[in-house]
Amino acid sequence: MNQTSFYKKDLITMLNADEEDQIILFKKSKEITDSLIGNKVHLRGLIEYSNVCIKDCLYCGIQKSNKNTQRYTLSDEEVIQCALYALEHNYGSIAIQSGERTDPLFISKITHLLKGIKKLSNGKLGITLSLGEQTLETYKEWFDAGAHRYLLRIETSNRALYSKIHPNNDLHNFDKRLEALQNIRKAGFQLGTGVMIGLPHQTIGNLADDLLFLKALDVDMVGMGPYIEHFETPLFEARHLLKTPQERLDLTFKMIASLRIIMKDINIVAATALQAIDKIGREKAIRYGANILMPNITPGNFRNNYKLYQDKPCTDENANDCNTCIDARMSMIGSKIGYNEWGDSKHFTNLKV
């Protein structure tokens, strides 16, 4: 476990770790986290801006073809109020997430909001975006407007599996996804991506390749979590191929620990989906190598409509409910919150030195 180079066979061994070997794996990942990242968790106040989407990803509850989803887009004032909440509660950063759109109105709206948030916080709030595939010009526009981190999940690095979880058309093109990731970096952003764990048709070898993909792409941050099916999506028909929720959860923990071992100084998110399976799933992820939490600060009346998967947690809460339990949850596992800090990826900042 002290080796510095890892091959696919090594990663498969780590992902197949039994209960006894998991203890060694998790201990090593925690040691690396504490020594290089520190025993500190940074917050991204999550704003689920809109569930309007032009795409039809087969796994996603807000896909365009889901006619049962009540569509919404937050007003400018609602977004600003969310940002003010994050600022007043010392979060340090926010993350704006949305269904994918590429129309000029959407692009200009985001630019306007970014400038407004930077102005109201006097540049104090860090901003992560997760708004899908855009042109290089749009990425540059948003970077210049004040965002500095961007998350675009590849979902799987395996081309064949990618085609099984997306429609076969130009709007869901694997190569365009790869190109978008490169353009995010060209625009100046800290680059983030991630994968789903436990997909139908997915193998342990696929997941090992995903880890190698993240390493080769030299990402700065990763958001990955267990695949949780949604009954109103086409992929729900393949649910008989799934591992149990607990098996997907355990595999996610091993993915997080393995990623921390091979990419020691990146940011790793403790995904909300973990909490859909285990009430303390995010806390466990932090013990195993994650260092970013994304408390939901979206107005409570919209949360149930941004349901990417079933059993999404905290849809019946508001920002204050989430905020109240953060310190208690982190104290429970012996971690501290990095209040009033951007918590940028040390991998990114180290490269800039």
Side-chain angles (χ1 to χ4, degrees):
M1 197 63 75
N2 292 318
Q3 65 196 82
T4 55
S5 297
F6 293 87
Y7 300 95
K8 182 175 179 176
K9 62 180 178 62
D10 301 315
L11 297 173
I12 289 175
T13 298
M14 291 157 74
L15 296 176
N16 279 326
D18 59 20
E19 192 168 336
E20 185 175 334
D21 288 336
Q22 278 185 66
I23 295 173
I24 300 171
L25 180 70
F26 294 154
K27 180 180 179 182
K28 183 63 178 180
S29 63
K30 180 59 174 171
E31 286 175 0
I32 292 171
T33 307
D34 289 346
S35 63
L36 293 180
I37 304 297
N39 189 26
K40 187 183 286 187
V41 176
H42 287 97
L43 305 180
R44 314 276 186 255
L46 178 62
I47 304 172
E48 295 167 333
Y49 174 61
S50 174
N51 67 354
V52 178
C53 192
I54 63 172
K55 291 204 168 184
D56 260 327
C57 302
L58 304 182
Y59 51 82
C60 183
I62 65 168
Q63 61 164 207
K64 182 182 178 181
S65 294
N66 187 352
K67 304 304 181 185
N68 296 322
T69 295
Q70 185 176 340
R71 304 293 170 173
Y72 76 90
T73 300
L74 298 183
S75 68
D76 289 2
E77 180 58 27
E78 285 167 332
V79 175
I80 291 299
Q81 287 303 313
C82 290
L84 277 172
Y85 180 90
L87 184 66
E88 291 168 356
H89 288 81
N90 307 310
Y91 275 28
S93 287
I94 59 171
I96 302 175
Q97 185 180 56
S98 173
E100 293 199 32
R101 285 174 56 186
T102 58
D103 56 281
L105 176 61
F106 178 78
I107 293 167
S108 62
K109 275 272 193 182
I110 296 298
T111 301
H112 174 74
L113 287 168
L114 291 172
K115 291 178 178 178
I117 292 166
K118 296 306 285 189
K119 183 177 180 180
L120 75 88
S121 70
N122 196 27
K124 188 177 180 181
L125 275 179
I127 304 176
T128 300
L129 296 180
S130 183
L131 305 174
E133 295 172 24
Q134 305 291 339
T135 64
L136 176 58
E137 291 70 30
T138 297
Y139 289 139
K140 286 180 176 178
E141 180 178 324
W142 289 345
F143 182 81
D144 291 341
H148 66 287
R149 295 181 295 248
Y150 202 104
L151 177 67
L152 178 67
R153 296 192 357 166
I154 189 71
E155 305 300 5
T156 175
S157 64
N158 183 279
R159 188 182 294 269
L161 182 55
Y162 192 92
S163 70
K164 283 183 170 69
I165 63 174
H166 295 91
N168 183 23
N169 59 42
D170 200 48
L171 195 59
H172 304 81
N173 185 284
F174 184 76
D175 291 312
K176 285 189 174 181
R177 199 74 166 179
L178 294 178
E179 182 183 9
L181 288 168
Q182 296 296 341
N183 284 338
I184 289 166
R185 172 167 281 137
K186 288 178 183 176
F189 285 104
Q190 294 174 44
L191 175 61
T193 190
V195 298
M196 286 188 290
I197 299 156
L199 284 162
H201 310 289
Q202 188 181 57
T203 67
I204 294 295
N206 294 152
L207 291 170
D209 285 333
D210 286 341
L211 292 171
L212 293 172
F213 170 83
L214 298 172
K215 177 77 170 175
L217 192 58
D218 199 28
V219 295
D220 302 299
M221 56 185 183
V222 170
M224 60 183 178
Y227 166 68
I228 300 175
E229 63 273 30
H230 191 298
F231 72 97
E232 293 176 331
T233 63
L235 202 59
F236 189 69
E237 294 179 1
R239 62 191 181 279
H240 63 285
L241 300 174
L242 295 175
K243 297 177 183 296
T244 67
Q246 186 61 49
E247 288 172 330
R248 282 175 262 166
L249 182 71
D250 292 341
L251 193 50
T252 301
F253 291 147
K254 288 188 277 190
M255 282 285 286
I256 288 171
S258 299
L259 181 61
R260 176 59 70 199
I261 290 168
I262 69 170
M263 298 193 75
K264 295 178 171 53
D265 57 355
I266 66 170
N267 279 347
I268 302 177
V269 179
T272 305
L274 295 163
Q275 195 174 332
I277 299 176
D278 184 333
K279 289 184 178 179
I280 57 170
R282 288 190 293 180
E283 289 75 18
K284 290 179 180 178
I286 289 167
R287 285 190 353 221
Y288 304 149
N291 68 307
I292 301 293
L293 267 182
M294 298 177 66
N296 198 331
I297 59 173
T298 308
N301 53 314
F302 294 104
R303 292 189 187 189
N304 203 45
N305 292 321
Y306 201 88
K307 192 168 280 189
L308 307 181
Y309 50 85
Q310 287 176 227
D311 303 320
K312 178 186 174 186
C314 305
T315 57
D316 58 347
E317 297 181 353
N318 57 41
N320 282 325
D321 293 324
C322 289
N323 193 58
T324 301
C325 69
I326 291 173
D327 280 309
R329 284 175 172 267
M330 291 303 98
S331 177
M332 179 177 69
I333 59 171
S335 292
K336 298 179 180 178
I337 300 291
Y339 285 115
N340 290 315
E341 297 175 356
W342 281 12
D344 279 341
S345 166
K346 291 193 175 183
H347 184 74
F348 181 84
T349 54
N350 289 340
L351 289 176
K352 294 294 183 181
V353 174

